[in-house]
């Protein structure tokens, strides 16, 4: 499958890994929008949040279990933002479900 994040998970394309377990992979965004900008992805390919259903939703729990560990590791003791862009209007550019963790500064209040 021609998917950038599947290739990153497989190690075919290099990434700056910050966390990995059986179900989840996390790495630094190549174009950081904050002092800490990490992408958290399921190891199984799901294109976007709109394709979550009862059969695959366990991966969401695994991701949200990993996020506090990643935040602690990154020193985000004062909070952070979790973002998911979905589809065209959400400006999703990589079609493998991912959650952005942004932090390390006071983030703008505007959510678009
Ligand atoms: P989105 O716009 O929500 O689909 O986010 C995709 C993100 O992937 C963007 O923030 C990009 O900067 C990031 N990105 C694209 N290619 C890479 C890469 N090779 N390594 C790390 N992050 C990447
Ligand atoms: Zn993929």
């Amino acid at each position: 499958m021609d998917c950038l994040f599947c290739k990153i998970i497989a190690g075919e394309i290099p990434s700056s890994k910050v966390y990995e377990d059986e179900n989840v992979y996390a790495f630094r965004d190549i174009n950081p929008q904050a002092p800490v900008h990490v992408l958290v992805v399921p190891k199984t390919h799901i294109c976007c949040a709109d394709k979550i259903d009862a059969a695959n939703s366990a991966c969401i729990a695994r991701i949200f279990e990993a996020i506090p560990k990643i935040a602690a590791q990154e020193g985000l003791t004062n909070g952070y933002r979790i973002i998911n862009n979905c589809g065209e209007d959400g400006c999703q550019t990589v079609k493998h479900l991912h959650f952005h963790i942004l932090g390390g500064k006071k983030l703008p209040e505007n959510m678009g």
Side-chain angles (χ1 to χ4, degrees):
M1 193 189 304
D2 193 26
C3 170
L4 174 63
F5 288 174
C6 281
K7 288 178 181 162
I8 284 177
I9 293 160
E12 292 164 15
I13 289 174
S15 66
S16 179
K17 179 170 90 173
V18 301
Y19 176 88
E20 181 173 16
D21 65 29
E22 198 184 336
N23 302 292
V24 176
Y25 190 82
F27 54 103
R28 297 199 190 284
D29 196 292
I30 206 166
N31 182 24
Q33 305 297 310
V36 174
H37 188 169
V38 173
L39 301 175
V40 191
V41 307
K43 285 190 173 176
T44 54
H45 181 87
I46 299 169
C47 74
C48 62
D50 194 53
K51 297 296 182 224
I52 297 298
D53 58 24
N56 64 19
S57 62
C59 81
I60 302 298
R62 301 291 92 79
I63 286 170
F64 275 76
E65 289 162 14
I67 284 173
K69 299 179 192 172
I70 296 164
Q73 196 179 298
E74 295 295 318
L76 301 179
T77 54
N78 206 38
Y80 49 93
R81 183 169 289 160
I82 302 165
I83 294 174
N84 170 256
N85 296 323
C86 180
E88 280 303 306
D89 282 2
C91 295
Q92 181 181 4
T93 58
V94 179
K95 307 297 192 256
H96 179 127
L97 177 68
H98 54 280
F99 292 85
H100 300 252
I101 302 175
L102 293 162
K105 69 171 185 182
K106 182 79 172 173
L107 296 162
E109 287 183 18
N110 193 309
M111 292 287 286

